[in-house]
Amino acid sequence: MNWRNIHTVWTRELRDQLRDRRTLFMVAVLPLLMYPLMGMTFFQLAQFMRSNTARVLVVGAEQLDRVEGLPPLIEGDRFAPALGRPDQLERLAIETQAAPATAENTNVTEKSLFQNARRRLANGDLDVLVFLPEGFAKRLAELQTELKARSDGEEAAALPAIPQAIIQKNPTRDSSRLAGFEVERLLNIWREQVVGRNLAAARLPAGAVQPFELASEDVANVAAKQAGLWAKLLPFVVFVWALTGAFYPAVDLCAGEKERGTLETLLVSPASRGDLVWGKLLTVITFSMATALLNLAGIAATGSFISKQLGAAGALGAAGGLGLPPASALLWLVVALPPIAALFSALSFACASFARSTKEGQYYFMPLFLCMMPLMLMPLSPGIELNLGNSLAPVMGLVLLLRSLMSGDVLEAVRYAIPVTIVTFGCCLLAIRWAVSQFNQESVLFRGDDRFDLRLWLRNLLRRKSETPTIAMAVVCVSMIFLLQFAVVNTLLATSLASLSGFAGFVVRVVVSQASVLLPALVLAGLLVRNRRRTFLIRRPASWGVVAASAALALAVHPAGLQLAAWIRQLYPLSDAVMAELEKVSADIQLAESPWMVIALIALLPAICEELTFRGFVLSGLRRSGSNGWAIVISAVAFGAVHAVFQQALAAALVGMLIGYLAVITRSLWPCIAFHATYNALPVLTAFYGEQIGANFEKIGAGGLIFRAPGGEIIGYHFLLAIAGLVLGGGLLKWIEVRSAAAAVPADGPENGKTHADPLAADAGRPLPNPE
């Protein structure tokens, strides 16, 4: 890289962007106008809420006046002053109506009254209905009389039935719902007053129904509470604006250059392609950070102003107001902003490079935004804390780390700072590498026009079949699998097959699930692909010894795989519901008559179906991108995502990368099937024959090395055996690679003096060799 060229490109792009009125508005003007405008709108709405009066109909309130000893509920057209503050009571206008049994109009019935009230609630003429049935006050008075008689030692009758007051509101209207909550609160206060008078009539102290009081005290001071509140709010807002501030300049610097016709001139300049990418990327990072910082300043100033006004009004008196964010919190945000801005800028730049126009580039913002939003919103959920498992999640780990630092939990943050830093910078490097790769591809920079004829496209797709699957076909295949898993399999298992239990139910569930995995690949291959043998890698391997070595490879790495699965469960513990479901599946498996039936279902059937789909159709399509490495990773991630349990999905994705690498170096699906079947069969064999295997190894003095058996249950392998298995597996993998590469070289020698010893360089970007 030439830093002089990078600096020249950076300053040039900065000048061009600063001359763009749209960019200046998004970066500088919008943050300065938006938050004050939001603050003024908030105050206008608050004043409207305070001035808006809710209409409350109370039916049967007249009977309260005929009974002595009850505290007042209504005075005039408002609730009694003893029930609340005057400003609260002024927002509730009372309308009274006699109960049906005492109404002057004898045609009024309880049913017609409720129908009329519901109609008024639906129309908005009424917000809340309070219905006190006939005899409500009389039963309250009888209850008080009976309590007084019991306190005087007189023989008293049974206590009368407890009367019921009915409150109706319209939950679809906010004004009705909020007014209903307020009316319910006031009636609870009035009920406590009635209880107090009943206790007084029975000569009982108030402590008879309230034997103790709860005193809640906050150990955190006002500053700590303010810091905790800002710690949840600011990272989310800053990161959202960092993403927004990165995307629009990236679209203008890539798709905008294509539209203006200046990209070709820039590409023929003395600066290399890498220098151009880094110069443009630094420009996007600069605008991303500037947008985030200006929005941070705007929200901090507006939030401080709003908190002062609410504090003066008493709305935030208990919390002490928001106040300004602590200086330390702002400092931590500034420190964390560069890496997150680099990540968002690289992702935005890669998407913008693929776009053919500014309009198309803007369409890509929403998918990218939706992918990032869960990672930024999850830390706001209750119960999500910073731990080792969460610290390994991209973006989410950084948000949780910032929340701990801004809240003052520095010691907790220091424990997980290293994994968060490694993951964040690793994601930045991968995103930047992807952006550079996108910009270096002529097929990406100079794509065809936007014209698209659906009928012509479908006709060409069916008539001019591709030799092997394309990237789009692979993506469609994975999408169809997810749709079938979600919409068909889950629905079928929850309805029609829900009554099936035991081993028969287990068989049906496995068969239906595997069919949903294989069916999309078979349908797409039958309709859209010419050479299905090359698509599914159905070719003879270099030798059947390679297949046997692949099965031995599964046996060697299986202890490490179990150890990895155990670590994943420690990082992300299984929930009780998942544990119960897994125990149920295990119990169903134990009902099988023979372990070989279970092996056929758990090992052989998934090995065939999943390998044909993911290492066959999907991997063949993704390899058309030109990178075997990314094809292996993406197909493995899709393979792991098919597994319903998150912990199983992580472990399966890592194993899927190894199987994908095996498919690339052997150019055959048979070694992959052998590995997959052996790997899945080993847990079944240890479950059925674990005690016998452990006893046999005990005889030769290696029982403790092979199996750990606390409580008599064989659960895994010794850690040293896992390490030894990895070493052995590495040797087997190297032998398979060398043997397969030697078989790929023609008998008369390497073509043009070159060999394909590097498995990630072989067949990159083109179909696999013809198996014939």
Side-chain angles (χ1 to χ4, degrees):
M1 291 187 298
N2 190 320
W3 290 107
R4 184 187 298 272
N5 291 340
I6 293 175
H7 181 268
T8 302
V9 175
W10 181 31
T11 54
R12 170 197 177 266
E13 299 295 354
L14 280 177
R15 286 195 303 268
D16 289 345
Q17 290 299 308
L18 291 175
R19 293 169 184 165
D20 188 356
R21 289 175 295 179
R22 293 174 300 178
T23 303
L24 287 178
F25 177 80
M26 287 293 300
V27 174
V29 179
L30 184 60
L32 297 178
L33 294 179
M34 183 179 64
Y35 294 107
L37 180 62
M38 289 174 59
M40 294 301 298
T41 304
F42 176 80
F43 278 116
Q44 293 293 336
L45 291 175
Q47 291 176 3
F48 173 77
M49 291 295 294
R50 286 195 295 267
S51 61
N52 189 27
T53 301
R55 295 171 296 277
V56 181
L57 173 62
V58 181
V59 178
E62 76 288 344
Q63 55 185 303
L64 300 178
D65 299 333
R66 299 194 297 265
V67 178
E68 297 182 359
L70 292 178
L73 176 62
I74 298 174
E75 294 185 4
D77 61 346
R78 293 291 187 271
F79 282 103
L83 300 179
R85 299 199 310 265
D87 59 327
Q88 296 174 332
L89 302 179
E90 286 295 327
R91 293 196 293 268
L92 298 173
I94 305 300
E95 175 186 346
T96 59
Q97 181 177 341
T102 58
E104 295 180 0
N105 184 2
T106 56
N107 294 327
V108 176
T109 64
E110 183 175 321
K111 181 178 180 181
S112 62
L113 186 148
F114 274 105
Q115 290 177 347
N116 183 49
R118 289 192 184 97
R119 186 164 48 251
R120 294 181 62 185
L121 284 171
N123 296 334
D125 298 334
L126 189 66
D127 294 306
V128 183
L129 166 67
V130 179
F131 180 71
L132 305 179
E134 174 62 20
F136 179 85
K138 180 180 179 181
R139 286 195 293 273
L140 289 179
E142 292 175 353
L143 178 62
Q144 188 178 110
T145 302
E146 293 297 331
L147 290 175
K148 183 177 180 181
R150 289 170 183 265
S151 65
D152 294 337
E154 300 176 2
E155 184 176 353
L159 293 176
I162 298 177
Q164 185 181 44
I166 300 174
I167 301 177
Q168 287 192 347
K169 54 184 179 291
N170 186 356
T172 61
R173 295 176 51 246
D174 289 339
S175 59
S176 177
R177 181 170 51 85
L178 295 175
F181 291 150
E182 183 67 17
V183 169
E184 187 174 352
R185 187 185 66 84
L186 295 178
L187 288 178
N188 284 329
I189 296 175
W190 183 70
R191 181 175 58 185
E192 292 177 359
Q193 294 178 356
V194 174
V195 170
R197 297 204 176 190
N198 289 343
L199 293 175
R203 298 182 179 89
L204 293 175
V209 294
Q210 191 175 356
F212 63 91
E213 295 182 355
L214 293 176
S216 177
E217 297 181 358
D218 293 336
V219 297
N221 53 28
V222 175
K225 288 189 288 186
Q226 291 175 352
L229 188 58
W230 283 115
K232 292 184 177 181
L233 176 65
L234 288 182
F236 172 74
V237 174
V238 171
F239 285 9
V240 167
W241 279 107
L243 177 59
T244 305
F247 194 84
Y248 289 100
V251 170
D252 186 70
L253 290 176
C254 295
E257 295 262 22
K258 296 178 184 180
E259 287 184 328
R260 294 188 294 268
T262 57
L263 183 60
E264 293 83 351
T265 305
L266 190 63
L267 292 176
V268 299
S269 65
S272 66
R273 194 71 64 90
D275 296 341
L276 294 177
V277 172
W278 277 102
K280 289 178 175 290
L281 192 57
L282 286 176
T283 304
V284 178
I285 293 174
T286 302
F287 277 92
S288 175
M289 295 180 60
T291 304
L293 291 175
L294 287 174
N295 279 274
L296 177 62
I299 194 172
T302 306
S304 176
F305 173 75
I306 292 178
S307 66
K308 290 179 181 179
Q309 298 297 323
L310 294 178
L316 293 178
L322 286 175
L324 284 172
S328 59
L330 298 178
L331 178 62
W332 288 120
L333 277 174
V334 173
V335 170
L337 189 56
I340 205 67
L343 174 61
F344 290 159
S345 299
L347 293 174
S348 302
F349 190 84
C351 294
S353 300
F354 190 76
R356 290 170 288 197
S357 63
T358 303
K359 181 180 180 181
E360 181 182 343
Q362 293 174 353
Y363 292 153
Y364 297 153
F365 175 71
M366 187 55 64
L368 180 61
F369 185 77
L370 292 178
C371 290
M372 293 295 107
M373 278 298 290
L375 298 175
M376 293 185 286
L377 282 174
M378 282 293 290
L380 301 180
S381 303
I384 303 297
E385 300 292 339
L386 182 62
N387 52 44
L388 183 58
N390 292 334
S391 66
L392 298 177
V395 181
M396 187 176 78
L398 184 58
V399 175
L400 290 172
L401 182 67
L402 280 175
R403 193 178 75 178
S404 298
L405 291 171
M406 295 170 66
S407 300
D409 299 332
V410 179
L411 294 178
E412 179 186 4
V414 169
R415 296 173 54 194
Y416 306 105
I418 293 179
V420 170
T421 303
I422 293 175
V423 171
T424 301
F425 280 96
C427 292
C428 288
L429 292 177
L430 290 176
I432 292 173
R433 183 176 178 181
W434 182 40
V436 173
S437 174
Q438 287 284 89
F439 201 82
N440 283 332
Q441 297 183 43
E442 301 290 339
S443 60
V444 173
L445 291 182
F446 303 106
R447 298 169 61 208
D449 56 26
D450 290 323
R451 290 177 296 178
F452 178 75
D453 189 321
L454 179 61
R455 184 175 60 180
L456 181 62
W457 176 77
L458 288 175
R459 182 185 303 171
N460 291 334
L461 188 65
L462 295 175
R463 290 183 177 180
R464 301 177 181 178
K465 297 182 179 181
S466 174
E467 182 73 10
T468 57
T470 62
I471 300 176
M473 294 179 191
V475 174
V476 170
C477 179
V478 175
S479 302
M480 290 176 63
I481 292 172
F482 290 154
L483 288 176
L484 284 175
Q485 291 274 344
F486 179 76
V488 178
V489 176
N490 291 339
T491 303
L492 189 63
L493 295 179
T495 56
S496 302
L497 306 180
S499 58
L500 294 176
S501 60
F503 186 70
F506 173 74
V507 171
V508 174
R509 288 193 294 268
V510 171
V511 171
V512 171
S513 177
Q514 291 302 315
S516 68
V517 172
L518 182 59
L519 184 61
L522 294 179
V523 171
L524 292 175
L527 293 176
L528 308 177
V529 176
R530 288 200 307 269
N531 197 326
R532 299 175 185 87
R533 294 187 64 186
R534 291 171 61 180
T535 295
F536 292 108
L537 300 183
I538 304 176
R539 65 185 299 266
R540 191 175 63 183
S543 67
W544 292 110
V546 171
V547 178
S550 300
L553 176 63
L555 182 64
V557 301
H558 188 260
L562 287 185
Q563 186 64 50
L564 176 64
W567 286 342
I568 292 175
R569 291 193 179 189
Q570 290 178 359
L571 286 176
Y572 307 102
L574 294 171
S575 64
D576 295 338
V578 174
M579 286 293 296
E581 185 65 24
L582 293 178
E583 291 176 358
K584 180 179 180 299
V585 172
S586 178
D588 293 341
I589 293 175
Q590 294 297 327
L591 299 177
E593 297 179 359
S594 170
W596 303 108
M597 298 175 60
V598 181
I599 290 176
L601 286 170
I602 293 182
L604 188 58
L605 181 61
I608 296 174
C609 297
E610 293 174 359
E611 293 308 315
L612 284 172
T613 299
F614 292 103
R615 255 66 63 178
F617 191 92
V618 174
L619 183 61
S620 297
L622 294 176
R623 292 184 69 189
R624 298 283 287 270
S625 65
S627 173
N628 281 330
W630 281 112
I632 291 172
V633 171
I634 296 174
S635 63
V637 171
F639 168 67
V642 170
H643 296 75
V645 181
F646 173 72
Q647 292 79 358
Q648 291 180 349
L650 288 179
L654 296 175
V655 176
M657 294 181 190
L658 177 58
I659 306 178
Y661 184 81
L662 199 62
V664 170
I665 63 176
T666 62
R667 300 174 180 85
S668 174
L669 203 66
W670 294 109
C672 303
I673 293 176
F675 181 98
H676 196 152
T678 305
Y679 195 89
N680 283 6
L682 288 174
V684 180
L685 292 176
T686 55
F688 279 91
Y689 303 109
E691 294 184 2
Q692 295 89 324
I693 296 174
N696 292 332
F697 278 98
E698 284 287 349
K699 293 179 181 179
I700 61 174
L705 180 64
I706 301 300
F707 292 102
R708 292 181 291 113
E713 181 182 359
I714 298 175
I715 60 174
Y717 304 92
H718 196 278
F719 182 75
L720 293 178
L721 187 63
I723 298 177
L726 288 178
V727 174
L728 177 61
L732 287 171
L733 192 62
K734 185 62 178 177
W735 183 86
I736 294 172
E737 177 184 336
V738 173
R739 184 70 182 86
S740 300
V745 178
D748 55 350
E751 182 182 356
N752 298 327
K754 297 180 181 180
T755 63
H756 294 309
D758 182 6
L760 295 185
D763 304 322
R766 60 186 178 86
L768 294 171
N770 197 327
E772 282 76 7

